[in-house]
Amino acid sequence: PLTLEEVRMLVELFYLPYHHGPLAQHLLEHFRWLQANSLGVGVPATAPDACGGTQWRDRAQSFQLLCAQTCRLHSRFVSSAGQALLYDLHPYLWDIRNMLLATSAFVLWLGCQSITAPILLGGDAEPWVHRGGLFGELQALLPVGNSCDLFYHPPPLFPSSQPYLLRPLLPLDKVGAVAQSGRRRLAGLSSPWGRLGSSSAPALAGRLLGSFLSLSPEYTFVLEDDGGPCGYAAGALCAEGFLQQRDSSWLPAIRHKYPRDLGAGAPALGQEALLFFHAEPLAVPLPVLRRFPSLVQLGMAPRVLDVGASCSLAICLLSALRANGSRGVFCQVSATNRQQLSFYSKLG
């Protein structure tokens, strides 16, 4: 059963409509402070004002801990609460869990970046877009803009206690064994995110994420469950420059590494990935690049049935792009890829 401390946490999250309990108040205070002071995160440890960065990281760690405790409360509540209580309260706790997955990953991302301008908040949204309570206040603080559809999804019919971890691609992932392990795991995931043989997996991973991992790793996020990586979100702040660099340097290098004849005898999906590398990419019309300067790409494993986790991925990526000044995003989807079209449509 739930402990007394967990019941107290639950009450404090939904204390009164305009009066938060201590847990919710701490979450809001930490998040407001971390955003307001994010300009000092990238200060080198040897600089005279380095103490500001140390204080920021300490408060970020406290915020991460509170988020983790609340997400764990959601899993414990689904496992322990009686059915009547579960179906009454689960929608509210599910909303908060999804919001904290996104805000926690966003704070982690802030700690890895050097933000050079004040973060733009979502002030261009209509007032009715923001909901009440802790959820609404966190929503208003995220710089996700007017992507309000991402915040309005019904909870799953059958609540799941599956815990998730949402995080950016961290600096440690780019170096040494951690990177090799993480990318090998990502390499086993295709567009439908099914497991593949080892011969075709690296090529297919390169098709999905290779250009982003090489050219725009700072806007790459990973979702993990008990089975390992189960989703990703990748973006490029300046799509025009990203696509030019991809076509002029990254694609020629990857074509040299994976020649056409390498696909002989490989599984069908591996052959498809190799053909993708050797096909000429479609040009993006200039009006699209002018109006929507950033590129995004998301994917989710079939085993993830919780749309809230997908929304958290999208919210985190859009917040990161907007924090650095992006005015809009687009994604490239084949007109024949019904699975991806359905995935993006469900996100809104």
Side-chain angles (χ1 to χ4, degrees), residues 128-147:
W128 57 266
V129 165
H130 298 301
R131 295 157 61 175
L134 176 63
F135 183 97
E137 293 206 40
L138 289 171
Q139 177 189 354
L141 288 171
L142 276 171
V144 71
N146 57 0
S147 304

Side-chain angles (χ1 to χ4, degrees), residues 78-141:
V78 172
S79 302
S80 305
Q83 192 171 25
L85 186 63
L86 172 62
Y87 280 92
D88 273 346
L89 299 185
H90 177 257
Y92 304 99
L93 200 51
W94 181 78
D95 272 343
I96 291 294
R97 190 280 310 257
N98 297 336
M99 179 62 74
L100 291 181
L101 277 176
T103 52
S104 175
F106 179 65
V107 166
L108 265 178
W109 176 83
L110 281 176
C112 302
Q113 307 303 313
S114 293
I115 305 297
T116 56
I119 294 175
L120 299 170
L121 297 181
D124 55 351
E126 294 291 334
W128 57 266
V129 165
H130 298 301
R131 295 157 61 175
L134 176 63
F135 183 97
E137 293 206 40
L138 289 171
Q139 177 189 354
L141 288 171

